[in-house]
């Protein structure tokens, strides 16, 4: 079998393992949905003519869902596999090492797509989130989602090497993911945040993912309320593309198959 076919087979196994873990399913799939329901039910005031906070939050939550699936889940899951010796045993098999990472990517893409569909359907059905009306909007949604989840996946694999144990991984990863969501325009309107906070957020991919998603789901008139007075999709593409390259480099140089010591 080729490396790709082995990776796809590994991806099917990863999806089965994910779905059999109730904690992973609830945290990755249903926690973003729960936040959408709570915030959508509590905050319904308009932040601009024809734009409610619920619509703003839903666009950001779709980006945050991709962060949860790509970054947070892998940065927690891989250290647990490393601690249990699963990675060490896999490295000792004839399976190419690349197939392991292909399997992870397949799992992230499948779960990320399912989560995005659930959030889109819920937000459109109950919270008046307008779906893209043009092919160009859907195209923007596609490349922002693909670049965003790619960057988050690679960063999650790289970040997994920081945890000293599988049990300690959630304590390291979860605060990072939550802080990024708070400062990147998910829970609060981005332009209302302090300048120093926006400067920090602009260094990480989630800020650019939320900005790209707002350009898809919010009216074009809202672009004037962005920091630069426009959606700046060129900057979004460059930033996310740069993080894909950075994440890949970090994976190559930092990934560990065994625990420290």
């Amino acid at each position: 079998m080729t490396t790709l076919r082995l990776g796809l087979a590994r991806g099917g196994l990863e999806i089965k393992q994910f779905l059999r873990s109730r904690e992973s399913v609830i945290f990755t799939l249903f926690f973003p949905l729960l936040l959408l329901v709570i915030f959508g039910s509590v905050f319904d005031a308009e932040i601009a003519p024809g734009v409610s906070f619920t619509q703003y939050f839903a666009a950001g939550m779709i980006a945050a869902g991709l962060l949860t699936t790509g970054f947070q889940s892998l940065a927690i899951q891989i250290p647990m596999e490393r601690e249990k010796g699963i990675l060490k045993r896999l490295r000792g098999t004839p399976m190419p090492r690349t197939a392991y990472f292909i399997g992870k990517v397949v799992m992230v893409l499948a779960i990320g797509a399912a989560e995005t569909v659930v959030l889109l359907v819920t937000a459109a059905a109950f919270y008046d989130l307008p779906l893209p009306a043009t092919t160009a909007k859907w195209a923007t949604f596609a490349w922002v989602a693909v670049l965003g989840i790619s960057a988050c996946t690679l960063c999650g694999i790289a970040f997994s090497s920081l945890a000293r144990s599988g049990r300690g991984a959630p304590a390291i990863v979860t605060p990072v993911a939550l802080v990024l969501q708070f400062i990147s325009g998910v829970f609060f309107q981005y332009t209302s945040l302090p300048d120093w906070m926006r400067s920090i957020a602009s260094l990480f991919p989630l800020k650019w993912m939320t900005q790209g998603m707002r350009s898809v789901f919010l009216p074009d008139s809202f672009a004037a309320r962005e920091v630069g007075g426009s959606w700046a999709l060129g900057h979004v593409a460059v930033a996310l593309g740069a993080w894909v390259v950075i994440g890949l480099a970090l994976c190559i140089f930092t990934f560990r198959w065994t625990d420290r010591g």
Side-chain angles (χ1 to χ4, degrees), residues 128-179:
D128 299 323
L129 181 71
L131 296 179
T134 64
T135 304
K137 291 279 188 179
W138 280 114
T140 300
F141 172 76
W143 68 255
V144 171
V146 170
L147 280 179
I149 200 168
S150 298
C152 290
T153 298
L154 292 169
C155 289
I157 294 173
F159 200 85
S160 68
S161 297
L162 293 180
R164 299 186 64 88
S165 66
R167 288 169 293 181
I172 297 176
V173 177
T174 303
V176 173
L178 285 176
V179 168

Side-chain angles (χ1 to χ4, degrees), residues 27 64 67-68 71-73 75-76 159 170 172-184 186-187 206:
F27 184 78
L67 175 79
T68 301
F71 173 77
Q72 196 167 354
S73 63
I76 293 174
F159 200 85
I172 297 176
V173 177
T174 303
V176 173
L178 285 176
V179 168
L180 287 177
Q181 291 178 48
F182 274 105
I183 67 175
S184 298
V186 177
F187 297 109
L206 183 58

Side-chain angles (χ1 to χ4, degrees), residues 92-212:
T93 67
M95 184 185 76
R97 298 181 184 182
T98 307
Y100 170 77
F101 297 105
I102 293 175
K104 291 295 186 188
V105 170
V106 170
M107 185 268 291
V108 166
L109 291 178
I111 303 305
E115 181 181 51
T116 301
V117 169
V118 170
L119 290 174
L120 276 176
V121 171
T122 304
F126 299 103
Y127 302 108
D128 299 323
L129 181 71
L131 296 179
T134 64
T135 304
K137 291 279 188 179
W138 280 114
T140 300
F141 172 76
W143 68 255
V144 171
V146 170
L147 280 179
I149 200 168
S150 298
C152 290
T153 298
L154 292 169
C155 289
I157 294 173
F159 200 85
S160 68
S161 297
L162 293 180
R164 299 186 64 88
S165 66
R167 288 169 293 181
I172 297 176
V173 177
T174 303
V176 173
L178 285 176
V179 168
L180 287 177
Q181 291 178 48
F182 274 105
I183 67 175
S184 298
V186 177
F187 297 109
F188 305 104
Q189 191 172 349
Y190 185 72
T191 51
S192 67
L193 299 173
D195 291 341
W196 65 269
M197 198 175 290
R198 295 203 302 262
S199 298
I200 294 174
S202 65
L203 299 176
F204 298 97
L206 183 58
K207 181 267 181 187
W208 302 103
M209 292 166 63
T210 57
Q211 185 169 318

